[in-house]
Amino acid sequence: MSRDVAHDGAGSFRIRFPFDRRLVELLKSLPRRRWQAADKVWSVPDDDVVLLVDLLQPEGFDFDDEARARYAARGGNREL
């Protein structure tokens, strides 16, 4: 399984990655993150896209086109 972030089409980003305690702790630093136990993914609202990308881009995550577009529209300045 890769490390990826994809928009769910319903107002949130879904974050998937193989279990890594350090990455879990990083995600827990986001104020509005949620663990979706049934799907085994983390969820972060659209409004937090800049925080999300700035946190996970250095960790080698891949971002879908929607995440990239929303990040740029919110003023994100990292090269994705």
Side-chain angles (χ1 to χ4, degrees):
M1 180 188 292
S2 62
R3 296 177 174 187
D4 62 86
V5 175
H7 196 265
D8 68 1
S12 295
F13 292 96
R14 294 169 64 89
I15 302 100
R16 293 182 188 270
F17 56 93
F19 179 76
D20 180 319
R21 188 172 311 281
R22 190 179 62 78
L23 291 177
V24 169
E25 292 305 316
L26 277 177
L27 276 167
K28 286 182 176 179
S29 73
L30 296 173
R32 299 189 301 159
R33 87 291 182 216
R34 292 189 54 175
W35 171 246
Q36 306 289 328
D39 297 328
K40 296 186 178 174
V41 298
W42 287 90
S43 177
V44 174
D46 282 356
D47 291 344
D48 294 345
V49 65
V50 173
L51 290 172
L52 176 65
V53 172
D54 287 349
L55 183 71
L56 297 182
Q57 188 269 340
E59 300 296 330
F61 277 76
D62 293 320
F63 301 90
D64 72 352
D65 291 341
E66 191 65 26
R68 292 169 186 267
R70 289 173 186 258
Y71 178 72
R74 294 264 180 167
N77 57 12
R78 290 186 183 266
E79 186 69 33
L80 299 180

